[in-house]
């Protein structure tokens, strides 16, 4: 019979000295009482115990889940519990543990009532030479393995998106440098474009990488430049939910348009005569949306940054439509700037129409 809990000596400190003479308080437990407590602990922890002899016959099992309990017969091997395929795998692994004495782990997936469940076994050798056996501690890890798979998938997605974002930043830096004549000008424009990316990315991250709504994206891009005296931002039509890719690139387009207006266009002239509208459209036979920017200039001779080789024009006419597999049209006439971007249905969803 083993020692009772009251026979166990504990280490405490009194006055800075170590005292090992005080027994644990409370009533002593019999061996049977401790065994009952261990059984209850195994049950609440969802842990099963399997004991096998040197022939790998299972002679003792404790706290088996219902699926395994229905299959268990004392003296059977692993194939009886886990099926032939898993049985062969576990038999080979356990023979190695018996031979070497080195513990090992294994995982098996079992179909339980039409659902795949994952079980982890921690296997170690027991007994003395000539009387060796095996102790296997088994626990279901279905949910933890699922969370691991989801986390790995999210990390792969994050890595992919990070690389795409870095490629966009590299392109912005290169093109901005080609179209500026001074370091100060480069830094001003580059920082603004990076902030545009950051604003779009904030919305995408807040949605758990699902994308961003058009109206929220436009408000985020316009807010730093929109005059406080101009009232609410004129955004109309369909509040489409854009994919992360479409949100990032449309954000860049809106940034170029609003910065131009604040620097040279309607906003700089003191009149926020700008509208942004989204309506249904088609690209060939496929459904799409058309996002339209319309800006009326106070002075019909007003200049803008959209010269033939400017970065802003490249973004609007080439980079953005190509990135969303759509098409774009930038129309510059005296006193007016119009930009139309058509986005295919693969890059948006419409959850609600107002």
């Amino acid at each position: 019979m083993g020692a009772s809990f009251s026979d166990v000596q504990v280490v405490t400190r009194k006055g800075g000295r170590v005292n090992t003479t005080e027994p644990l308080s409370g009533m002593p437990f019999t061996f049977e009482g401790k065994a009952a407590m261990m059984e209850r602990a195994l049950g609440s922890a969802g842990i099963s115990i399997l004991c096998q002899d040197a022939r790998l016959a299972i002679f003792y099992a404790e706290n088996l889940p219902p699926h395994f309990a229905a299959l268990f017969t004392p003296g059977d091997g692993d194939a009886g519990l886990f099926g032939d395929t898993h049985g062969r795998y576990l038999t080979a692994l356990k023979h190695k543990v018996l031979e070497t004495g080195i513990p090992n782990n294994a995982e098996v997936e079992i179909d339980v009532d039409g659902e795949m469940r994952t079980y982890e076994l921690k296997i170690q050798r027991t007994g003395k030479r000539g009387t060796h056996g095996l102790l296997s501690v088994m626990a279901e890890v279905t949910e933890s393995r699922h969370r691991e798979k989801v986390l790995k998938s999210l990390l792969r997605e994050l890595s992919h998106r990070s690389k795409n974002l870095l490629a966009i930043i590299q392109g912005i830096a290169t093109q901005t440098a080609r179209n500026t004549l001074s370091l100060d000008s480069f830094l001003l424009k580059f920082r603004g474009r990076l902030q545009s990316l950051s604003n779009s990315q904030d919305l995408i991250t807040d949605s758990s990488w699902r994308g961003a709504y058009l109206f929220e994206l436009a408000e985020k891009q316009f807010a730093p430049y929109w005059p406080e005296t101009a009232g609410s931002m004129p955004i109309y039509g369909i509040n489409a939910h854009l994919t992360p890719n479409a949100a990032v690139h449309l954000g860049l387009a809106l940034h170029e348009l609003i910065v131009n207006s604040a620097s040279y266009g309607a906003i700089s002239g003191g009149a926020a005569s700008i509208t942004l509208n989204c309506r249904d459209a088609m690209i060939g036979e496929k459904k799409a949306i058309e996002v339209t920017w319309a800006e009326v200039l106070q002075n019909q001779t007003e200049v803008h940054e959209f010269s033939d080789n400017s970065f802003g024009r490249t973004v609007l006419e080439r980079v953005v439509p190509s990135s969303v597999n759509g098409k774009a049209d930038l129309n510059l006439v005296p006193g007016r700037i119009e930009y139309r971007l058509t986005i295919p249905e693969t890059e948006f969803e419409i959850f609600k129409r107002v």
Side-chain angles (χ1 to χ4, degrees):
M1 183 175 294
S4 68
F5 281 179
S6 61
D7 293 328
V8 179
Q9 304 298 307
V10 295
V11 177
T12 61
R13 285 190 179 271
K14 285 186 176 180
R17 298 182 61 186
V18 176
N19 185 333
T20 60
T21 62
E22 294 184 0
L24 201 66
S25 62
M27 295 294 292
F29 288 95
T30 64
F31 180 81
E32 291 78 8
K34 287 189 286 186
M37 288 185 65
M38 292 302 296
E39 289 180 11
R40 182 178 294 181
L42 288 174
S44 63
I47 296 174
S48 305
I49 300 296
L50 293 172
C51 293
Q52 292 167 276
D53 59 24
R55 297 177 295 108
L56 298 187
I58 304 173
F59 63 86
Y60 175 78
E62 184 64 51
N63 194 43
L64 289 177
H67 170 78
F68 291 107
L71 299 172
F72 175 63
T73 301
D76 278 355
D78 289 301
L81 280 182
F82 302 103
D84 291 338
T85 301
H86 291 313
R88 288 192 295 270
Y89 162 65
L90 290 172
T91 297
L93 184 66
K94 289 180 177 181
H95 274 306
K96 189 172 181 180
V97 174
L98 276 174
E99 293 169 4
T100 64
I102 301 173
N104 211 331
N105 297 339
E107 282 191 9
V108 294
E109 282 194 333
I110 306 293
D111 187 332
V112 180
D113 298 328
E115 183 178 0
M116 297 304 295
R117 312 298 293 178
T118 305
Y119 295 88
E120 181 184 51
L121 289 88
K122 297 182 180 295
I123 307 161
Q124 59 183 350
R125 190 173 73 182
T126 61
K128 299 179 181 179
R129 185 183 299 274
T131 61
H132 285 152
L134 287 178
L135 170 67
S136 297
V137 179
M138 182 174 73
E140 184 177 350
V141 293
T142 306
E143 297 304 322
S144 62
R145 293 298 178 266
H146 175 70
R147 288 193 293 270
E148 287 177 8
K149 290 179 181 178
V150 171
L151 180 59
K152 288 179 181 178
S153 176
L154 289 174
L155 289 174
R156 284 194 296 269
E157 179 70 11
L158 178 60
S159 175
H160 173 71
R161 294 187 185 279
S162 297
K163 290 177 181 177
N164 286 346
L165 200 58
L166 288 173
I168 292 172
I169 293 171
Q170 184 179 28
I172 290 174
T174 302
Q175 293 298 327
T176 303
R178 288 178 180 173
N179 289 274
T180 52
L181 300 178
S182 69
L183 178 60
D184 289 343
S185 177
F186 167 80
L187 291 175
L188 179 64
K189 293 179 179 180
F190 183 62
R191 286 168 179 163
R193 287 159 181 162
L194 281 186
Q195 187 60 53
S196 168
L197 276 178
S198 176
N199 290 339
S200 300
Q201 201 63 39
D202 284 344
L203 293 176
I204 294 169
T205 303
D206 289 344
S207 71
S208 299
W209 299 90
R210 289 190 294 270
Y213 283 97
L214 171 61
F215 288 12
E216 293 179 2
L217 178 70
E219 289 170 356
K220 195 87 169 176
Q221 296 295 337
F222 293 171
Y225 307 96
W226 193 255
E228 293 182 1
T229 57
S232 61
M233 300 177 191
I235 307 170
Y236 306 107
I238 303 168
N239 189 15
H241 189 268
L242 305 168
T243 66
N245 176 64
V248 165
H249 288 92
L250 180 56
L252 286 175
L254 295 176
H255 172 77
E256 295 302 321
L257 290 164
I258 193 69
V259 168
N260 178 75
S261 181
S263 301
Y264 305 102
I267 294 176
S268 70
S273 50
I274 298 168
T275 57
L276 186 73
N277 195 12
C278 178
R279 64 182 183 86
D280 291 310
M282 299 289 289
I283 295 182
E285 297 181 355
K286 295 182 178 180
K287 293 181 179 179
I289 54 172
E290 183 182 77
V291 180
T292 303
W293 165 285
E295 178 179 0
V296 177
L297 306 178
Q298 291 293 97
N299 184 351
Q300 291 196 357
T301 63
E302 191 69 68
V303 296
H304 50 72
E305 283 198 315
F306 302 134
S307 60
D308 290 341
N309 296 319
S310 72
F311 176 70
R313 187 161 191 162
T314 300
V315 167
L316 295 172
E317 293 185 325
R318 293 167 51 190
V319 174
V320 173
S322 174
S323 298
V324 300
N325 296 312
K327 59 181 183 179
D329 178 47
L330 178 63
N331 188 23
L332 305 171
V333 296
R336 188 174 179 85
I337 296 175
E338 287 187 359
Y339 178 66
R340 300 178 186 274
L341 175 67
T342 308
I343 303 173
E345 60 182 345
T346 54
E347 293 289 343
F348 71 88
E349 291 180 277
I350 300 175
F351 296 122
K352 183 179 179 180
R353 292 178 182 267
V354 180

